[in-house]
Amino acid sequence: MMGPKQEAQAALFYEFSLEEHVPQDHLLRSIDRFVDLDDIRQYLAEFYSHTGRPSIDPELLIRMLLVGYCFGIRSERRLCEEVHLNLAYRWFCRLDLSDPVPNHSTFSKNRHGRFRESALLRHLFEKTVARCIADGLVSGQRLAADASLIEADANKQNSTPKEDWDISAINPSDAPRAVKEYLDVLDDAAFGAASEVKPKFTSHSDPASQWTAARKGPAFFSYSTNYLIDTDHSVIVDVEGSRSIRQAEVGSVRTMLDRIKDRHDIDPERLIADTAYGTGPMLGWLVKRGIAPHIPVIDQAKKAEGVWSRDDFEWDQENDRYICPEGHDLKQFRRNYSDPNRGPSGKGTMRYRALKLTCQDCPSKAKCCPDQSIRTINREPDEDARQVARDIAKTKQYVVSMRLRKKVEMLFAHLKRILGLGRLRLRGPNGANDEFLLAATVQNLRKLAKIFPAPQQTRKA
């Protein structure tokens, strides 16, 4: 039997509860238990005026931003529409059915103003890290680091080749926000001071972004998000934005390790990373800090197949020499110099050489130096640290570390595919850092929600 036609009936009074209409197993219910914004008003108090019209509650804006990054809603205009329509979003943002949703322009004013001036997003991220530590998800013993390219909001059509780019022609007082930020970070180790090499193209709209073809495809403008994670439960303990070049990414790891030591008293036993971080200075810095580098060493001293490499020579630390497989010495100097740092390169690199007569009469010359009259070996200033990393690479723990390193790559995949952060919407170094911090905060909150889901209430019959 066909039922009667459904028609909306107007009523004078409604009894409605948002709490009853949000499913008990909804993701936002689990996340809500770990969002601590009790101190946000006190934290921002000095950035608000004591007179004038009352502002929109900053907790509401932060909760809306968390919803947007949690569910991949990249547009703030669309975010306002979704919060207006979705009951679960309203419940999480503490909005009743009759409460209005803020205008999308409010986010820009607060993001570029008091949120950025107060470093609120960094504060919010570090509170989630502290919560993960308190709940036993972070041991701080094994950390892994890596970087991933995120496309910037810029394109080649609005750019200038490096030979035509003139910084002196920029008027800072009349420049857009992203250009002013570019001028501010020219001496920053994560941006302008990371390398003296100028990028092939510079964007007019976001000059701090890096023109790169690192993905082996069409080049594009990008920033790098650098993650430092604890491998126990893949919790992100720190995040940093930088230029998309190796020097800036390696420097960001140092910055993050110093920061977590200062903020959370985390001093790891080992750092796990890929070959890009296996430079001598980086390995030397880690060894001096007492951190075991589980990192493949960048070694450019490999010889052709069938020719002895540096690993075939024995290093004699006490006598400052190498000993070849035939038992001959390779020394840096054959006589004393007043300057012990004096060497052929003039940059601290030490060159050890055998005697010419010894090499000419050696029966193994074809295996040692077939194309040279004598065998030479260059030793970098941080060669001892490089050897430490080589020795670690021979252990079983190193094999485990290389498997654990994939956890960082899984977080980047989640960042781009689930959270939708494949391209930035904000410009400039500050805008990129804001997006990276919010995304990392949401990833940690989702991790907490997954490990500690909200308790399920039994429904009444």
Side-chain angles (χ1 to χ4, degrees), residues 7 30 45 66 75 81 96 119 144 193 208 210 214 234 236 241 256 308 316 322 334 352 354 381 406 414 431 444:
E7 295 182 358
S30 296
L66 291 178
S75 168
E81 296 174 355
D96 201 356
Q210 178 74 29
S234 300
I236 305 169
M256 292 189 290
W308 289 339
D316 184 0
Y322 279 97
R334 297 291 172 176
Y352 294 81
K406 297 179 181 179
H414 179 269
N444 281 346

Side-chain angles (χ1 to χ4, degrees), residues 220-234:
F220 58 97
F221 289 104
S222 72
Y223 286 93
S224 283
T225 176
N226 300 270
Y227 276 7
L228 188 64
I229 76 164
D230 185 275
T231 59
D232 289 355
H233 293 89
S234 300

Side-chain angles (χ1 to χ4, degrees), residues 243-268:
R243 285 178 65 186
S244 298
I245 56 175
R246 182 176 57 84
Q247 298 93 320
E249 294 168 357
V250 172
S252 295
V253 173
R254 297 188 186 187
T255 301
M256 292 189 290
L257 285 171
D258 287 337
R259 187 158 50 209
I260 63 171
K261 173 64 176 176
D262 180 56
R263 305 287 175 84
H264 306 291
D265 195 25
I266 295 178
D267 202 4

Side-chain angles (χ1 to χ4, degrees), residues 37-300:
L37 301 176
D38 293 340
D39 65 340
I40 188 174
R41 298 181 68 86
Q42 181 180 358
Y43 186 84
L44 292 173
E46 61 180 295
F47 297 92
Y48 283 88
S49 173
H50 297 287
T51 60
R53 186 176 59 182
S55 66
I56 296 175
D57 186 1
E59 180 177 348
L60 170 59
L61 299 178
I62 292 297
R63 285 183 174 273
M64 289 182 66
L65 286 174
L66 291 178
V67 168
Y69 278 81
C70 186
F71 294 98
I73 305 174
R74 307 290 298 122
S75 168
E76 291 164 354
R77 188 186 297 269
R78 180 169 165 251
L79 174 62
C80 293
E81 296 174 355
E82 292 291 334
V83 172
H84 176 72
L85 296 172
N86 192 299
L87 296 181
Y89 296 172
R90 277 185 170 271
W91 173 86
F92 181 79
C93 296
R94 308 294 192 261
L95 290 174
D96 201 356
L97 284 178
S98 59
D99 292 333
V101 177
N103 188 275
H104 64 89
S105 62
T106 307
F107 290 97
S108 298
K109 294 179 181 179
N110 283 275
R111 266 181 158 175
H112 298 277
R114 54 181 65 94
F115 286 2
R116 189 166 293 171
E117 294 170 2
S118 64
L120 176 64
L121 300 182
R122 168 65 64 178
H123 173 71
L124 180 63
F125 168 74
E126 291 179 350
K127 287 191 69 175
T128 63
V129 175
R131 180 59 186 267
C132 292
I133 295 173
D135 288 342
L137 302 185
V138 177
S139 68
Q141 295 302 306
R142 297 182 300 188
L143 302 186
D146 205 352
S148 183
L149 302 181
I150 305 295
E151 188 174 353
D153 185 22
N155 57 67
K156 185 180 179 181
Q157 285 70 30
N158 189 25
S159 65
T160 298
K162 62 180 179 181
E163 55 269 13
D164 299 330
W165 179 254
D166 184 11
I167 298 180
S168 61
I170 301 176
N171 183 5
S173 61
D174 193 34
R177 181 185 294 107
V179 178
K180 291 179 180 178
E181 292 180 13
Y182 161 73
L183 297 175
D184 292 338
V185 298
L186 287 176
D187 297 327
D188 196 320
F191 291 95
S195 173
E196 296 180 357
V197 179
K198 295 182 180 180
K200 188 175 181 179
F201 293 96
T202 301
S203 170
H204 297 165
S205 58
D206 193 355
S209 61
Q210 178 74 29
W211 178 257
T212 179
R215 289 179 181 170
K216 308 300 181 183
F220 58 97
F221 289 104
S222 72
Y223 286 93
S224 283
T225 176
N226 300 270
Y227 276 7
L228 188 64
I229 76 164
D230 185 275
T231 59
D232 289 355
H233 293 89
S234 300
V235 172
I236 305 169
V237 295
D238 207 351
V239 58
E240 182 79 7
S242 71
R243 285 178 65 186
S244 298
I245 56 175
R246 182 176 57 84
Q247 298 93 320
E249 294 168 357
V250 172
S252 295
V253 173
R254 297 188 186 187
T255 301
M256 292 189 290
L257 285 171
D258 287 337
R259 187 158 50 209
I260 63 171
K261 173 64 176 176
D262 180 56
R263 305 287 175 84
H264 306 291
D265 195 25
I266 295 178
D267 202 4
E269 176 268 331
R270 73 181 66 169
L271 177 71
I272 306 168
D274 59 23
T275 313
Y277 301 84
T279 61
M282 181 63 186
L283 296 174
W285 186 84
L286 290 172
V287 171
K288 290 178 182 177
R289 282 279 302 265
I291 302 174
H294 287 236
I295 305 172
V297 180
I298 298 177
D299 195 349
Q300 300 176 347

